[in-house]
Amino acid sequence: MPPLIDLLNDDNLSLTARGLTARLLAQIGSIEAVNALLAAAQNSDLQPSIQQAFRVLNSAKPEAVPTLVEALYAEPSTTATTAAIALGQLGSEPAILALLAALSSESHQTAAFAGLGATNPNSRVALTTLVTALDSDSELVQVGAAYGLAAMGAGAEAAVPALVNRLEQGRPWEPAIVIHDLENPDGFFLEAHPNSSARVMMVYALGEINPGNTRSLTALLQILLIRNWERQELDENVKDAAIEALKKLTSEDLPALLNTEIFSYPEIVELIDQIVDFDLDLELVNLLRNPNQSLEHRVVAVRVLGDYKPGSEAAFTALLNLVQDSDAPLRLRWEAALALGYIGDPRAIPSLRSLLVEMNYAERLRRYYDSFLGFEPAQPEDELAAYFFSALGQLEFEKTYQLSACIDSWQGYNSVCTIDKSQASLENDPLVWFAFRHPEMFKDIVGLGYQISAAGVGQVAANVSNYQASSTPVICRSRLVSRWLWRCR
């Protein structure tokens, strides 16, 4: 033993040789060997070699961990830091608990965090110990546990559910309703909870472990979604931490994004588009064009492109090509058609008209309508024709409004009508022709695109017309619609 210690401290030897000596001493793991390594760490040139050596510390020696724990509170600070890093790399339960306990001493917190920041990513024991510590009553211990998990990176993937649950339950997340005006019981507002630092660190950990994990994504996006005042995030630091975590997303995480329902909200899509390094629009189009992607992912991509990217030429082209692709899944085609209707680009009208004529759409729509009355079953192509027709109605919403007003049963054909019935022909305008040929079907089919009853078509179309200058997607411009349609909520 003494010869090895002498070699470790021999300034005439190369750093490589002294580093190998340090590893040998760590493998011995006796009190004398550990103390020799801690003393040698005072040499700044040797510090990296000593820290590397502690990764192979013989933890089977019962005196190894107690010796390091004692050194954790020693002077100088370099000794404490070296001991803390050794404990983190060791990753045993006593080692991790010692680091968390050291957080309670302000003068030793720096060393303790250094050790937690060096937590062995391959230690299942360290993972379990840190996850358990997330439920501590001490915010400082919660911070340390989350920091240790963050340091483990992808090695702590199994801790994601615990981190998310801790964010969503109990004091760290649940908003408090506090009455501040005793004379006015209604004068309350939300007040941020304590444990801000712990929640920030938990969010940071989600970003370091894997922001593309579906549960991580859902939690991070929920923090940034202000829809329900009872669950809104009040801490700007937590929001900033969520944004920083989401910045780590790559194009490979796009399928995971599509798995989260929150990603369907336009403001969330806009935020992601602003903070990620990849071109979200282009990646969505590429995913849409890839037949190897799941149908559900491609459907969500269609909806996002239709709701959020009304000015994207790439999105319009991809959606129009999909509508015209007879080999594409029918559901994908009618979703693409409705997306074109939401975008509102009139360049899609000729293609939709042509497709409807080729499909013998009058007969298909009749059969689709009759299927609701129980007369005969509809074929999948009949439903496709109905959605094509609905999209066409949305693209020509001004005309839709006029026709709806003319054919409402309570209004009848009167002077309000601005379209001459005699001019309606299949060749000139399939929409006008069908409206006068099958007025009741017209109301119901156009209503299909809005998912409301036929009686509301006129009101919906009128609202769409009145709010056509709005930046809101066309489908959401009617208050009547927005109450039922999931993508407008």
Side-chain angles (χ1 to χ4, degrees), residues 213-265:
N213 179 291
T214 300
R215 289 206 65 180
S216 295
L217 270 175
T218 301
L220 294 171
L221 295 176
Q222 181 68 56
I223 288 171
L224 301 173
L225 181 65
I226 309 301
R227 289 268 175 159
N228 183 346
W229 66 272
E230 292 182 348
R231 289 296 304 274
Q232 66 178 307
E233 178 56 57
L234 303 173
D235 194 322
E236 293 299 324
N237 292 328
V238 175
K239 293 180 184 178
D240 290 343
I243 290 175
E244 289 301 314
L246 290 169
K247 285 182 179 180
K248 300 179 184 295
L249 294 174
T250 69
S251 58
E252 295 180 356
D253 296 315
L254 188 56
L257 270 172
L258 298 177
N259 279 336
T260 63
E261 182 180 349
I262 300 176
F263 187 61
S264 301
Y265 291 109

Side-chain angles (χ1 to χ4, degrees), residues 218-419:
T218 301
L220 294 171
L221 295 176
Q222 181 68 56
I223 288 171
L224 301 173
L225 181 65
I226 309 301
R227 289 268 175 159
N228 183 346
W229 66 272
E230 292 182 348
R231 289 296 304 274
Q232 66 178 307
E233 178 56 57
L234 303 173
D235 194 322
E236 293 299 324
N237 292 328
V238 175
K239 293 180 184 178
D240 290 343
I243 290 175
E244 289 301 314
L246 290 169
K247 285 182 179 180
K248 300 179 184 295
L249 294 174
T250 69
S251 58
E252 295 180 356
D253 296 315
L254 188 56
L257 270 172
L258 298 177
N259 279 336
T260 63
E261 182 180 349
I262 300 176
F263 187 61
S264 301
Y265 291 109
E267 64 265 38
I268 291 296
V269 178
E270 182 176 5
L271 175 64
I272 294 295
D273 194 26
Q274 291 173 350
I275 66 177
V276 296
D277 288 335
F278 58 91
D279 188 329
L280 179 61
D281 186 18
L282 179 61
E283 293 298 334
L284 284 170
V285 169
N286 290 338
L287 184 144
L288 182 59
R289 290 170 174 167
N290 185 355
N292 295 323
Q293 290 288 345
S294 71
L295 177 60
E296 288 303 320
H297 284 167
R298 296 174 77 191
V299 165
V300 177
V302 166
R303 292 175 178 174
V304 172
L305 289 170
D307 276 356
Y308 173 65
K309 294 289 187 180
S312 168
E313 185 66 25
F316 172 80
T317 302
L319 292 170
L320 186 59
N321 289 340
L322 188 56
V323 165
Q324 297 170 327
D325 184 1
S326 59
D327 294 327
L330 294 182
R331 182 186 175 192
L332 205 54
R333 294 183 71 192
W334 61 253
E335 287 278 3
L338 290 181
L340 288 171
Y342 306 148
I343 290 175
D345 193 323
R347 291 178 296 168
I349 291 177
S351 295
L352 285 171
R353 286 178 175 174
S354 176
L355 287 168
L356 283 167
V357 172
E358 291 176 8
M359 296 173 71
N360 187 19
Y361 75 102
E363 176 60 23
R364 290 196 178 279
L365 292 181
R366 182 199 62 76
R367 187 162 53 235
Y368 186 75
Y369 181 74
D370 285 347
S371 70
F372 286 104
L373 304 179
F375 294 149
E376 61 179 303
Q379 301 299 316
E381 291 78 7
D382 301 335
E383 184 176 16
L384 181 65
Y387 281 103
F388 280 4
F389 188 86
S390 176
L392 184 62
Q394 293 176 51
L395 288 167
E396 299 188 355
F397 59 83
E398 288 283 1
K399 191 176 297 181
T400 302
Y401 167 57
Q402 295 169 357
L403 292 174
S404 299
C406 287
I407 63 180
D408 273 341
S409 58
W410 60 269
Q411 194 169 20
Y413 296 97
N414 54 36
S415 59
V416 175
C417 299
T418 58
I419 298 178

